[in-house]
Each structure stands twice: as C-alpha cells, then as structure tokens.
Amino acid sequence: MKSFDRLRTCALAAAIALAAASFACSFSYSSKSISDSSESSSESSSSSSPGSNQTSYRKDVESYTQAFVVSGGNEGAFFPGISDLAKKRGITDWESNENTWRGIGRGLGRTKIDSVQLGVYETNWTAGDSEKIKLIRKGFDETR
C-alpha cells in the first residue's frame, strides 16, 4: 500500500508541476498576444489627424487594459505597456493625458470587476490622484 501511496503522491506532484508550467507559458503567450494585438491595432489605424490619433490611442489603452486585467498580468508590467502604446501613437506625457485614464477606465469597464475591485485599481494605479480617478470612473461608466 505504501508503494501505491508514494506513486499517487508522485503523480499528483507531477500533475501540479505540469499545470504550473502550462499556466506560466500560457500567461507569457497571452502577454505577448496583448502586446502584438495592440501593436497591430496601432499600425492599422494610424492617421494624420491629431483627434483621430488620440481616439485610437484611447482605444489601444482600453484593449490593453482589458486584456491585462483578464489575463491577470503582472502589475509591474502595466505602465511600461501603456508607455509603449503612447510612443507608438506619438503621445508625449501619457501620464497627464486624459485619454490614458479614460482608456484605462473603459478597459476596466469591459471586464467583470466590481466596484471594490475598481477602487483597488484606481488607488494602485493613480496613487490617489483625484483627477485621474475621475477620468477612470468616466471611462468605466461609459461602458456600462
């Protein structure tokens, strides 16, 4: 019986290790897919109109945020991804750009988060900046 228990324990450990490795690969792939999707979106919808560029940027941020939250992305990778999107659209000073924060709000609104989770993202991502929180809420409410 001890041999059977040991075999079962080993099989269980192997299954857990395989599942963990599979999840890590899946997350890595999904993060790359998010980046690739945003990049192709940026390239395919670029325009010479500044207003159109801002709208496209907001939509890129929205898609990126939604995919990031749904995939359970690493918090430390979120803002570098936003920065990359801004660079691709020629957006300078993305941290003070209204479309950054509205896009984040719209992306959060397209997920299944509740108001408590929204508050956590707002606090973590804005460091309590009330203007940025208002813009996130505005974007979030636009999707409801």
Side-chain angles (χ1 to χ4, degrees), residues 7 12 41 45 47 78-79 87 92 95 100 108 112 136:
L7 179 61
L12 180 60
S41 171
S45 59
S47 171
F78 183 70
F79 284 117
K87 284 178 192 170
T92 57
E95 291 169 327
T100 299
L108 290 171
K112 301 282 187 205
I136 288 174

Side-chain angles (χ1 to χ4, degrees), residues 32-125:
K32 177 147 177 46
S33 296
I34 292 166
S35 174
D36 292 347
S37 173
S38 294
E39 185 173 325
S40 66
S41 171
S42 294
E43 292 170 359
S44 69
S45 59
S46 63
S47 171
S48 59
S49 167
S52 175
N53 196 41
Q54 288 287 331
T55 300
S56 296
Y57 168 67
R58 186 180 69 239
K59 289 178 181 178
D60 288 348
V61 171
E62 177 181 343
S63 296
Y64 174 78
T65 302
Q66 179 184 10
F68 185 89
V69 170
V70 168
S71 71
N74 177 340
E75 289 294 315
F78 183 70
F79 284 117
I82 296 290
S83 179
D84 289 345
L85 292 174
K87 284 178 192 170
K88 289 175 184 170
R89 289 282 181 196
I91 305 296
T92 57
D93 197 18
W94 62 266
E95 291 169 327
S96 64
N97 187 307
E98 177 179 326
N99 286 305
T100 299
W101 304 102
R102 279 188 56 215
I104 289 171
R106 290 180 63 83
L108 290 171
R110 298 210 182 279
T111 66
K112 301 282 187 205
I113 65 170
D114 60 28
S115 61
V116 172
Q117 292 167 310
L118 174 63
V120 170
Y121 281 113
E122 289 172 341
T123 300
N124 290 343
W125 287 349

